[in-house]
């Protein structure tokens, strides 16, 4: 017969045939649990009574092995008659086993784990250790990982039982290591973090981990784990490596940042056109931009840069930022930048249209100036919005080769729309001279300067004010 390992009792038991008169029962598990069921120990081939002195010796021995970072097991046996009743539950297990010994198993950390954990801390990801190992082993593992432990940082399953859910939710932020936990404890830990509004990811491999993997926002199983764990989890680590999780987070942050950049770029461009057209209607002026000219900007000049922004490589500090709790893709800084870029670009483009229309009376010239201002400005201020944390000079503006090529192509197509005769006829544009280009460049420089000012203000705010709040 067999009683499988139980996370609450922390040992397993099997019964085997020995001879015609007796069976032998083996038990292995947590040393403190095995010692509690033992009354003697095996010294060579002799069974010796387990007195207090020897019991203290065994307790000291397994704790010493644990403090060295080893995972400790103990084993014992019991001879029973053939008529010994079946063991239906842990409560039926006798308490007169013969202690055989204690052994420590070395399960060394991967070499890169300590550095990986350092990356998670820098990224604002709070990592805690949850283990079925005893408190001493858990403490040693945590210290080997570089975690700083203080009073109250390590909690056992027995201590968790004494805490209410409210008490646990209050203390959860200070606890870094959980030892001798049960599946129910893991569920409580996850729910306590979630009650604080945190996104929780849990890694596990055993059958008992399945409920916690399901309860977590993101359950992560390892390929070497049980089938139930892998079926329950949202993700499976094929290489069983914690570093892969951190690399996935980095990749996710990069993708998210690129999505925001593309949205910021496209909305700024489109809203500028809305302001130009709407402003002209309100002021009872002719259209400053024709429909074909707006289509040219959106589909020919700006299409490649927007696609290239989605391939922006990861920035060096992407894993040195704390995650932001955002209800939408666009945070306050992005919204302010959209309004700033579109407002300034739209209003100044509209003013240039009015100015050149009034000065020359040539509406095609005025429209070409507006068309060129909007088209070229979007191609140049893309280098400013590709990094919202640093100014354009510190953000390595030309590191994205796809964007560089897209901007060059965009500028050439925009110039072609102004200087190629058959495009002049199709788009109702006229060639511009240097005086018009000077006015256009002044507006573009002004827009890019304002973008850098807004970025600097928000950078200062997040660095100084938000940290205090």
């Amino acid at each position: 017969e067999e009683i499988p390992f139980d996370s609450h009792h922390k040992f397993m038991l099997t019964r085997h045939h020995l001879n015609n008169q007796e069976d032998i029962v083996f038990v292995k598990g947590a040393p403190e649990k095995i010692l509690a069921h033992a009354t003697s120990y095996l010294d060579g081939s002799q069974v010796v009574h387990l007195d207090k002195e020897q019991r203290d010796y065994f307790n000291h021995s397994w704790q010493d092995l644990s403090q060295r970072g080893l995972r400790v097991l103990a084993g014992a046996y019991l001879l029973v008659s053939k008529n010994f009743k079946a063991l239906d539950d842990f409560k039926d297990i006798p308490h007169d086993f013969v202690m055989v010994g204690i052994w420590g198993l070395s399960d060394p950390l991967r070499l890169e784990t300590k550095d990986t954990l350092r990356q998670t801390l820098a990224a604002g990801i709070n990592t805690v250790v949850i283990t079925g190992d005893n408190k001493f082993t858990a403490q040693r593992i945590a210290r080997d990982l570089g975690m700083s432990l203080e009073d109250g940082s390590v909690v056992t399953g027995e201590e968790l039982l004494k805490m209410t859910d409210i008490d646990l939710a209050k203390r959860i932020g200070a606890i870094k290591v959980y030892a001798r936990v049960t599946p129910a404890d893991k569920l409580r830990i996850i729910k306590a973090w979630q009650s604080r509004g945190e996104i929780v990811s849990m890694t596990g491999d055993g059958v008992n981990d399945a409920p916690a993997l399901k309860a977590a926002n993101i359950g992560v199983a390892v390929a070497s784990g049980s089938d139930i764990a892998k079926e329950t989890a949202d993700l499976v680590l094929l290489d069983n490596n914690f570093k892969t999780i951190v690399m996935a987070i980095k990749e996710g942050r990069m993708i998210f940042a690129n999505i925001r950049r593309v949205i910021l770029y496209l909305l700024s461009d489109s809203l500028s056109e809305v302001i130009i057209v709407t402003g002209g209607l309100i002021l009872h002026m002719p259209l400053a931009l024709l429909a074909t000219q707006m289509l040219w900007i959106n589909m020919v000049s700006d299409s490649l840069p927007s696609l290239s922004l989605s391939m922006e490589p990861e920035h060096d500090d992407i894993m040195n930022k704390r995650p932001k709790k955002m209800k939408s893709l666009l945070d306050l800084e992005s919204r302010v930048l959209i309004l700033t870029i579109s407002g300034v670009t739209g209003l100044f483009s509209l003013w240039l249209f009015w100015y050149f229309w009034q000065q020359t009376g040539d509406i095609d010239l005025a429209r070409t100036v507006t068309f060129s201002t909007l088209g070229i400005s979007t191609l140049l201020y893309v280098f400013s919005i590709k990094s919202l944390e640093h100014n354009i000079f510190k953000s390595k503006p030309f590191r994205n080769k796809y964007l560089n090529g897209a901007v060059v192509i965009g500028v050439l197509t925009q110039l072609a729309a102004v200087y190629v005769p058959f495009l002049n006829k199709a788009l109702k544009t006229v060639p511009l001279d240097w005086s018009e280009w000077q006015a256009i460049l002044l507006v573009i420089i002004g827009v890019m300067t304002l973008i850098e000012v807004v970025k600097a203000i928000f950078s200062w705010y997040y660095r100084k004010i938000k940290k205090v709040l």
Side-chain angles (χ1 to χ4, degrees):
E1 63 179 314
E2 176 182 349
I3 297 182
F5 177 82
D6 179 270
S7 57
H8 176 70
H9 293 90
K10 296 182 175 58
F11 60 84
M12 70 169 292
L13 179 147
T14 58
R15 180 177 177 178
H16 307 267
H17 168 76
L18 183 62
N19 53 46
N20 293 332
Q21 289 78 37
E22 292 179 311
D23 290 337
I24 186 167
V25 178
F26 293 119
V27 62
K28 69 171 182 178
E32 65 270 28
K33 298 294 184 179
I34 303 303
L35 280 167
H37 285 79
T39 55
S40 57
Y41 68 98
L42 193 63
D43 185 2
S45 60
Q46 184 179 4
V47 176
V48 181
H49 174 68
L50 186 59
D51 56 19
K52 183 180 184 302
E53 181 181 355
Q54 194 64 30
R55 191 177 294 274
D56 290 342
Y57 167 76
F58 281 130
N59 277 319
H60 174 77
S61 297
W62 75 256
Q63 290 178 21
D64 178 62
L65 290 172
S66 296
Q67 289 168 355
R68 287 157 53 188
L70 300 177
R71 299 190 171 194
V72 184
L73 284 175
Y77 74 92
L78 178 65
L79 300 178
V80 297
S81 70
K82 290 290 186 182
N83 298 326
F84 185 76
K85 67 177 182 178
L87 298 172
D88 297 325
D89 198 354
F90 283 96
K91 65 183 179 182
D92 298 327
I93 296 175
H95 283 68
D96 54 352
F97 276 81
V98 179
M99 182 82 171
V100 174
I102 297 170
W103 56 100
L105 307 175
S106 175
D107 186 11
L109 296 169
R110 291 175 183 261
L111 295 176
E112 72 273 10
T113 303
K114 186 174 181 179
D115 182 62
T116 303
L117 186 63
R118 194 180 301 116
Q119 291 182 43
T120 66
L121 293 174
I125 302 166
N126 190 7
T127 305
V128 298
V129 176
I130 304 176
T131 177
D133 290 325
N134 63 69
K135 183 176 182 178
F136 302 107
T137 302
Q139 284 178 321
R140 178 59 183 265
I141 292 172
R143 290 195 173 97
D144 288 344
L145 286 170
M147 300 174 70
S148 59
L149 301 180
E150 302 172 355
D151 292 339
S153 296
V154 183
V155 172
T156 64
E158 292 181 358
E159 292 170 327
L160 277 177
L161 283 175
K162 299 175 183 177
M163 296 185 199
T164 65
D165 291 340
I166 295 176
D167 293 335
L168 178 59
K170 290 179 180 178
R171 288 190 55 189
I172 195 74
I175 303 173
K176 297 181 179 180
V177 179
Y178 299 86
R180 288 286 192 246
V181 295
T182 66
D185 293 331
K186 295 177 183 179
L187 282 174
R188 289 187 65 200
I189 294 166
I190 289 172
K191 291 178 179 178
W193 277 111
Q194 290 173 334
S195 69
R196 294 163 57 105
E198 301 291 347
I199 303 299
V200 181
S201 175
M202 152 87 184
T203 60
D205 58 0
V207 174
N208 292 332
D209 290 323
L213 290 171
K214 187 172 182 62
N217 298 93
I218 305 171
V220 182
V222 294
S224 61
S226 66
D227 290 338
I228 293 178
K230 288 186 281 188
E231 290 171 4
T232 306
D234 302 294
L235 300 172
V236 178
L237 294 179
L238 298 181
D239 61 357
N240 300 343
N241 197 333
F242 179 66
K243 185 178 181 180
T244 304
I245 299 177
V246 179
M247 292 176 66
I249 292 172
K250 180 189 289 188
E251 187 75 14
R253 288 188 174 191
M254 183 181 72
I255 293 171
F256 183 79
N258 287 344
I259 291 173
R260 287 181 59 202
R261 292 183 185 105
V262 172
I263 292 176
L264 172 59
Y265 179 69
L266 292 177
L267 287 181
S268 300
D269 184 19
S270 300
L271 191 54
S272 298
E273 295 172 357
V274 171
I275 291 173
I276 291 172
V277 173
T278 305
L281 293 174
I282 293 174
L283 297 173
H284 302 287
M285 293 192 302
L287 287 176
L289 281 175
L290 298 177
T292 53
Q293 294 172 344
M294 286 188 283
L295 284 173
W296 180 270
I297 292 173
N298 292 334
M299 299 183 67
V300 179
S301 297
D302 295 348
S303 58
L304 288 179
S306 61
L307 288 173
S308 301
L309 271 180
S310 66
M311 294 182 281
E312 176 72 13
E314 65 186 53
H315 291 193
D316 296 337
D317 61 346
I318 194 168
M319 291 299 287
N320 293 329
K321 305 180 212 171
R322 300 188 65 83
K324 298 178 183 178
K325 293 182 179 179
M326 299 171 58
K327 295 182 179 180
S328 68
L329 283 171
L330 298 177
D331 58 5
L332 178 61
E333 182 179 7
S334 298
R335 294 172 187 172
V336 171
L337 279 172
I338 290 172
L339 292 175
T340 301
I341 295 169
S342 58
V344 174
T345 305
L347 292 176
F348 272 96
S349 297
L350 192 61
W351 179 82
L352 285 177
F353 169 77
W354 176 84
Y355 175 80
F356 282 99
W357 179 43
Q358 292 295 316
Q359 292 296 316
T360 64
D362 187 345
I363 195 169
D364 287 339
L365 174 64
R367 282 174 176 160
T368 303
V369 171
T370 305
F371 171 65
S372 300
T373 302
L374 188 60
I376 298 296
S377 64
T378 57
L379 292 169
L380 295 183
Y381 69 59
V382 69
F383 292 108
S384 285
I385 65 174
K386 67 192 292 289
S387 175
L388 301 185
E389 291 78 21
H390 305 288
N391 64 53
I392 191 171
F393 302 107
K394 291 183 179 180
S395 62
K396 300 178 182 177
F398 304 116
R399 66 183 298 185
N400 186 344
K401 60 182 180 181
Y402 303 105
L403 182 61
N404 298 338
V407 169
V408 171
I409 293 172
V411 171
L412 292 176
T413 57
Q414 195 65 31
L415 293 176
V418 174
Y419 293 106
V420 175
F422 81 90
L423 289 177
N424 291 150
K425 293 179 181 180
L427 298 172
K428 305 296 184 190
T429 57
V430 297
L432 301 177
D433 60 26
W434 178 237
S435 60
E436 284 100 23
W437 279 114
Q438 285 180 313
I440 292 170
L441 291 174
L442 282 175
V443 171
I444 294 172
I445 292 172
V447 171
M448 294 182 67
T449 301
L450 277 174
I451 293 173
E452 296 302 325
V453 170
V454 171
K455 285 164 55 178
I457 291 173
F458 273 94
S459 178
W460 173 82
Y461 171 75
Y462 287 128
R463 189 173 62 256
K464 301 291 184 181
I465 307 298
K466 198 73 178 285
K467 185 180 291 187
V468 175
L469 296 176

